[in-house]
Amino acid sequence: MKKIVISGAMILAASTAYAAIIPAGLLKTITSKVTIVAAPKTITLSGKVPVALTSGSTSKAIEPVKGAVQTGLLPGQGQLERIASNFDVSKYLVPSWGTGEIAQTGRPDVVGAFRFMCSAGDVKRDDPIVFPGQPGKSHLHQFFGNTGANAYSTYGSLRTTGDSTCGNILNRSAYWIPAMLNGKGKVVRPDYVVIYYKRLPEDSPVCQQWGKACVALPRGMRYIFGYNMATDKAEAFYFNCDGPTATPGHYPDLVTAAKNCPVGNRIGAVVAGPQCWDGKNLNSADHRSHVGNPDWNDRGQLRCPDNLPYVIPAFSLGAWYSVDDDLDRSGEWKPGMQTWSLSSDNMPGMPAKRPGSTFHADWFGAWDDDALKAWMDNCINKLLTCNGGDLGNGKQLRPDPKFDWAAHPRLVDVPAA
């Protein structure tokens, strides 16, 4: 397998307690081993929902997560029942980098990292977390990951159906973000999305400084992160620009980033997910309060909130879009301007928000258990830096040679409400 260095792509670096997502153009040297993974043809669901999409889930607390809350769990807490992959797992693994070599250490960093690439999937007005079983109820979303994800998705349906635009079906997790609109009736699809999981190794003494323990992601977990519509707060996201004439930076919204991102570059929407968990709930009423982030205490130490004392792998993403002339780059904005915006920036019955100011993401985990355990045991707990779906054990998620650094198609019609 050919090794390449990504040029003009996003590399997600684990250099602080929070996700740092840095364009390759800013880095002198990160790694000599970055692979490409491809997007298989997406499966578009229409008409009647298949029975398989509404079955196979469970609300039972089958087992606690090792190191997390062990007793007193109620139905739907802990983690859901293991659902074995319904395909030959060995066909979706290859020797790492063609030779089976082991990923390099992440030291002197203090966190292990697991990274891979995704391609854009369908756009739908669905949200299986906020509006489960209610197709068409949400603002327009750009999905990636599980190609069968829709309003009816459950943990069971994600584990047993759908292809994946994130490597291959060993990762049937569903990811979605607000669709990017060009102001002329089109959706701008991202060229690619970079996904990054990171966490302290479980034996790090810092785990007990942050909270009670560093633990694995539980089966069936889901959450929303980024802009919080309930509080109108921008949380843990920024925009960036990467390319030959880019001025990179951490910009608060599309308007500011666009001023520094001429045509011929890519604009990136980057968001970092939660790192702390309550140790028992897989979801919550607001889809956020069962997870959270550490903060500095009065002794200058990072600590998870007292009610969220378990440290989980933080999930971050960067979605990258080719800039065109439809993106206004004046650095000015007023309601009604024809330019790029997120679908969540203009909600019915609500004042228009500054373009990009409502960026957020949703995640519904549905990894193959053994693949998840492999990158947790090796990349995370052995403090390795694993790129391109490298599992840190001499195996790698089988890449798809059809991957392209440009979206095909790049523009699609906004679907009817």
Side-chain angles (χ1 to χ4, degrees), residues 112-295:
F114 174 65
R115 308 176 178 95
F116 53 90
M117 306 286 287
C118 300
S119 297
D122 288 347
V123 289
K124 301 185 180 85
R125 298 185 189 275
D126 288 359
D127 191 325
I129 293 179
V130 179
F131 298 112
Q134 302 177 71
K137 186 74 178 289
S138 77
H139 57 265
L140 189 63
H141 283 116
Q142 172 68 68
F143 282 79
F144 43 100
N146 194 310
T147 59
N150 66 8
Y152 297 97
S153 292
T154 64
Y155 177 67
S157 72
L158 293 173
R159 284 291 301 121
T160 55
T161 61
D163 208 320
S164 179
T165 74
C166 294
N168 63 53
I169 53 176
L170 289 173
N171 181 11
R172 276 175 162 165
S173 302
Y175 311 79
W176 59 100
I177 58 178
M180 185 73 76
L181 309 176
N182 72 350
K184 295 182 177 180
K186 298 288 187 179
V187 175
V188 184
R189 299 172 73 237
D191 290 330
Y192 53 84
V193 180
V194 183
I195 300 294
Y196 167 37
Y197 294 88
K198 65 170 181 58
R199 201 204 64 196
L200 295 159
E202 62 183 1
D203 61 357
S204 170
V206 182
C207 292
Q208 283 69 47
Q209 294 174 20
W210 277 34
K212 291 183 177 180
C214 289
V215 301
L217 289 169
R219 293 189 294 267
M221 175 171 270
R222 70 214 71 171
Y223 52 70
I224 302 173
F225 55 110
Y227 172 77
N228 190 331
M229 194 170 294
T231 62
D232 195 29
K233 288 180 62 178
E235 300 178 359
F237 74 84
Y238 64 92
F239 289 82
N240 200 350
C241 184
D242 183 40
T245 60
T247 303
H250 281 51
Y251 303 113
D253 51 50
L254 270 170
V255 179
T256 312
K259 188 176 181 179
N260 298 281
C261 209
V263 172
N265 301 289
R266 287 189 177 100
I267 212 161
V270 181
V271 62
Q275 302 178 77
C276 307
W277 177 43
D278 66 9
K280 56 184 179 180
N281 288 299
L282 302 175
N283 198 1
S284 50
D286 63 356
H287 317 295
R288 293 173 179 265
S289 58
H290 60 304
V291 290
N293 277 307
D295 204 353

Side-chain angles (χ1 to χ4, degrees), residues 56-65 73-83 154-157 159 217-222 277 280-283 364-365 369:
S57 64
T58 175
S59 62
K60 293 175 63 180
I62 302 302
E63 63 180 89
V65 174
L73 296 173
L74 301 174
Q77 295 181 329
Q79 61 179 338
L80 300 184
E81 183 177 11
R82 178 185 174 107
I83 298 176
T154 64
Y155 177 67
S157 72
R159 284 291 301 121
L217 289 169
R219 293 189 294 267
M221 175 171 270
R222 70 214 71 171
W277 177 43
K280 56 184 179 180
N281 288 299
L282 302 175
N283 198 1
F364 199 147
D369 274 26

Side-chain angles (χ1 to χ4, degrees), residues 338-356:
Q338 192 176 71
T339 186
W340 288 19
S341 66
L342 298 173
S343 59
S344 52
D345 294 335
N346 294 278
M347 300 288 286
M350 300 175 65
K353 303 286 290 184
R354 189 173 171 91

